[in-house]
């Protein structure tokens, strides 16, 4: 079952003076863990933004479960209900506590108001932060902030996780534990995971590695050591 299908995907910025994607063809199946690697500026984040409907292609097609993302009537509902986002810089709201941040995507869900705080508490427990639920992001360490962001990404039980350098701002101990957490949650919840990373050790854990260069996919392979 195909989750994403891209054909001839191109993305230009600044009236065409920047060509971030130059014709990407890609199919992602349900349950895959894809690592996207490649040098800075090759288009990794741009591709992830297209998959998340945070931005739209200049030309080419991109389907999510057979439907064009570009033609979707309500992208904010798609983003909130189908996708969990994890960013390098966490993107938590500074004036919201941990438990409030986790509830933000629920604004776009049909989870009853009276159940949202309980659900957020459960998710914080799942990421090992039950003792931090009323802390503001500024009072949390980097690893803890990313755990809050991971709990938030699960708010509406998404089927896809999109992660852009999720360990890029973490030290090596937190990198290891945050990666283990993401990998475990993905397995437990049977999510499709697409992760941009510079870390080849992380890429090795993935079921498929996609290497990009200058806005194109230059290598698309299942590694010999792959778990599936
Ligand atoms: P990567 O994630 O691989 O580092 P990006 O997708 O962020 O690469 O960027 C690809 C290219 O597009 C780069 O040249 C970058 O400077 C450019 N770019 C990305 N976003 C924008 C934007 N919003 N406006 C203009 N140029 C952009
Ligand atoms: P992350 O949280 O993943 O680290 P950042 O906070 O680094 O993300 O922000 C990346 C954002 O910067 C993206 O939305 C991307 O489109 C934008 N961007 C990247 N390159 C450029 C550029 N050359 N000009 C304008 N915006 C850019």
């Amino acid at each position: 079952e195909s989750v994403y299908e891209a054909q001839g995907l191109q993305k230009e910025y600044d009236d065409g003076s920047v060509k971030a994607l130059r014709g990407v063809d890609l199919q992602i199946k349900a349950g895959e863990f894809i690592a996207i690697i490649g040098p800075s500026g090759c288009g990794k984040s741009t591709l992830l933004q297209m998959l998340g409907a945070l931005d739209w292609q200049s030309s080419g097609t991109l389907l999510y479960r057979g439907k064009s993302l570009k033609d979707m009537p309500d992208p904010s509902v798609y983003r909130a209900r189908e996708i969990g986002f994890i960013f390098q810089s966490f993107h938590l709201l500074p004036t919201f506590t941990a438990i409030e941040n986790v509830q933000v995507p629920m604004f776009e869900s049909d989870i009853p108001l009276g159940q949202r705080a309980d659900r957020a508490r459960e998710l914080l427990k799942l990421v090992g932060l039950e003792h931090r639920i009323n802390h503001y992001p500024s009072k949390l360490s980097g690893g803890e902030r990313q755990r809050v962001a991971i709990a938030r990404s699960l708010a509406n039980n998404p089927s896809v996780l999109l992660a852009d350098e999720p360990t890029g701002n973490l030290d090596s101990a937190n990198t290891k534990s945050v990666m283990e957490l993401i990998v475990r949650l993905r397995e437990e919840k049977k999510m499709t995971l697409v992760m941009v990373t510079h870390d080849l050790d992380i890429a090795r854990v993935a079921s498929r590695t996609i290497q990009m260069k200058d806005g194109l996919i230059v290598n698309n392979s299942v590694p010999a050591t792959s778990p599936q």
Side-chain angles (χ1 to χ4, degrees), residues 13 49 87-89 91 164:
Y13 293 108
Q49 287 186 17
F87 302 94
Q88 176 172 0
S89 45
H91 291 188
D164 197 347

Side-chain angles (χ1 to χ4, degrees), residues 9-226:
L9 204 64
Q10 301 199 21
K11 176 63 178 178
E12 300 180 343
Y13 293 108
D14 299 341
D15 296 323
S17 61
V18 176
K19 294 188 186 338
L21 299 178
R22 297 168 180 266
V24 165
D25 298 326
L26 177 63
Q27 188 184 36
I28 299 177
K29 296 211 172 75
E32 280 196 284
F33 171 3
I34 306 236
I36 303 181
I37 60 171
S40 182
C42 70
K44 304 181 298 295
S45 291
T46 300
L47 178 58
L48 212 65
Q49 287 186 17
M50 310 282 113
L51 299 179
L54 293 167
D55 200 354
W56 287 269
Q57 68 267 31
S58 309
S59 64
T61 57
L62 177 59
L63 307 181
Y64 172 75
R65 299 189 191 281
K67 288 191 183 138
S68 169
L69 283 180
K70 211 172 179 171
D71 301 330
M72 196 159 29
D74 203 342
S76 60
V77 170
Y78 163 77
R79 288 191 291 262
R81 297 192 185 184
E82 306 285 328
I83 307 298
F85 291 98
I86 308 170
F87 302 94
Q88 176 172 0
S89 45
F90 321 128
H91 291 188
L92 299 175
L93 295 174
T95 59
F96 280 28
T97 63
I99 193 169
E100 290 166 348
N101 266 286
V102 174
Q103 290 174 75
V104 167
M106 298 181 196
F107 299 163
E108 294 279 359
S109 78
D110 48 18
I111 301 171
L113 278 174
Q115 294 174 17
R116 293 181 185 184
D118 283 345
R119 175 162 174 78
R121 192 174 298 110
E122 280 305 308
L123 290 169
L124 285 167
K125 202 169 155 192
L126 192 65
V127 301
L129 284 183
E130 57 270 56
H131 56 306
R132 294 279 190 269
I133 61 173
N134 292 318
H135 282 56
Y136 287 94
S138 60
K139 303 288 176 200
L140 298 171
S141 71
E144 289 172 335
R145 286 179 205 178
Q146 195 58 299
R147 285 167 187 276
V148 174
I150 292 167
R152 177 187 59 188
S153 78
L154 303 175
N156 297 328
N157 249 329
S159 62
V160 176
L161 274 187
L162 300 178
D164 197 347
E165 298 266 5
T167 59
N169 279 331
L170 303 179
D171 61 24
S172 52
N174 276 305
T175 291
K176 188 165 181 285
S177 63
V178 161
M179 268 313 296
E180 282 168 1
L181 177 64
I182 293 174
V183 166
R184 171 170 71 82
L185 292 171
R186 176 218 162 224
E187 280 167 10
E188 279 174 17
K189 296 180 180 288
K190 314 230 178 297
M191 294 180 288
T192 305
L193 171 59
V194 184
M195 181 182 293
V196 168
T197 182
H198 275 121
D199 188 333
L200 293 179
D201 287 337
I202 290 176
R204 243 168 252 130
V205 187
S207 51
R208 183 149 61 107
T209 302
I210 288 173
Q211 193 180 347
M212 293 182 69
K213 195 185 170 196
D214 298 336
L216 287 171
I217 292 175
V218 292
N219 200 349
N220 189 343
S221 65
V222 180
T225 53
S226 164

